[in-house]
Amino acid sequence: MKRYFKSILTIFLAFCLAYFFPVKAAYADNIRMPVWAGKFYPAKQSELKQMIESLTQKAKQTTVKIPSNKELKAIILPHAGYVYSGFTAAHASNVLSEKQFNKVILLGPDHRVGFRKCAISNVKGYQTPLGFIRLHEDTKILLKKSNLFQYIQKFDEVEHSLEVILPFLQYYLKEFELVPIVIGRPYEINAITDAIKPLLDSDTLLVVSSDLSHFLPYSEAVTRDKETIDIILNFKPEELKKRENCACGKIPILILMEIAHNNGWQPVLLNYSNSGDTAGDRSKVVGYSAIAYFKDTSLSQKQGEILVKLARKAIMEKLGKKMASVKSDWLSDSLQDNCYNASRGTFVTLKISGRLRGCIGSLTSNESIRAGITRNALNAAFRDPRFPPLTVDEFEHVDIEISILTKPQPLEYTDHSDLLSKLQVNVDGVIIRKGRAGATFLPQVWKQLPQPEKFLSRLCAKAGLSADSWKNTKLEVLTYQVQYFGLTQK
């Protein structure tokens, strides 16, 4: 009996203290200061960094299969005290990296105030022990939608569902601007979804803050939570709406599910745990999940071939040659597909009789795939410093290959042996950087250099570093994947 009351008291203090002793936020220069620092997570910056780093290292030991040729669009993370939910939240480290997104739209549930519709801060930004986060201008855009979004000071003073998520995002993304939204009891989820959708772009991450079931015995909680996760992963919003004690952020999750379904985002479970797995007793637990949503960025073979023809057309026109009007009209019509408007890194490679004749590209880009292919085709043909400008006679024999890149992601490694083990031969494009020196090899280069040791040595040499720098120097290493398409000149 004593053990039972001890477990109840522990969970009560960790999760419900604020209901009886609410803490009001302090404001300085119209900045929302942290309310739950020192309660849900450490208030000292050094201690907070150390805790997140420790949780991250533990989370990195979990095998998480991240799909290739897919772009992260959204993530669900828990918001309890870090000793309880921090391990699961730290699995965000498997999909987030520095400066990956410029803007975060953060949706959390109302736990304490009880209001309808949505509440948004009208402050300049949020302060946490890890620094200041400026509010994005989209916040003002939403506040103008007075029928859906409004400023409610009381929610800012006591709500924890947004604040607890922020240090993790700061630790992994470093710099971003925030659109903070607390969801009350909206009468129309679709209306909120429609208001948020126009704010989403390739530089925006949508984050939902939610725990799962509350205060069930361990085995019952595991069963219920896994059923809830299955509903989320399999896009069953109607089942989630009817479900009781499944997620405190059920409405924000439903909004995410609607947006994901409309945009073809696919969910991937990164981790599940509950307080009984981490720091709490198993008699009554709270469940947590981290679920990432990805958009498939791969192109079809036909779409890739259209881009190759676009590259060829750009070079032809620069040389004063014209494509037949019928083919030109067909190409223009084909390029209206929205997939060509995505912002992606692109490369264009020219070869004659199998020998390189030009290769220029961009690893990341704010321009569309269509614009990138056009620009890099011209650069590869006429501005590659290793070759003279392409001639009309050579053009008749040129084979063109285009590469569409995923966003480069940092590759963490401990030493050169660990680096070798983590590189995916024939899959990864690799970027290395050291100070101002840097270079990349596309995945196609593995065909000429199939041994990772030689691959890295040649890459270091290309960057102007000693060939063995990868062995005895700590380099910044990033990897990316590529879809490439080519048409051989007959």
Side-chain angles (χ1 to χ4, degrees), residues 55-56 58-64 66 75 77-78 85-96 168 172 269-273 289-292:
L55 291 167
T56 299
K58 291 179 181 177
K60 289 288 189 182
Q61 297 174 19
T62 303
T63 301
V64 178
I66 306 301
I75 190 168
L77 294 174
S85 68
F87 172 69
T88 291
H91 281 73
S93 63
N94 290 296
V95 295
L96 297 181
F168 280 104
Y172 300 135
L269 178 64
L270 302 180
N271 183 254
Y272 165 74
S273 71
S289 68
I291 300 175

Side-chain angles (χ1 to χ4, degrees), residues 131-156:
F132 177 69
I133 308 171
R134 185 177 300 279
L135 260 60
H136 192 275
E137 60 184 7
D138 284 350
T139 304
K140 295 180 180 178
I141 294 175
L142 291 178
L143 278 172
K144 291 179 181 178
K145 299 178 183 293
S146 57
N147 61 324
L148 289 174
F149 303 91
Q150 55 190 303
Y151 172 61
I152 301 174
Q153 182 174 343
K154 189 168 181 58
F155 105 82
D156 240 355

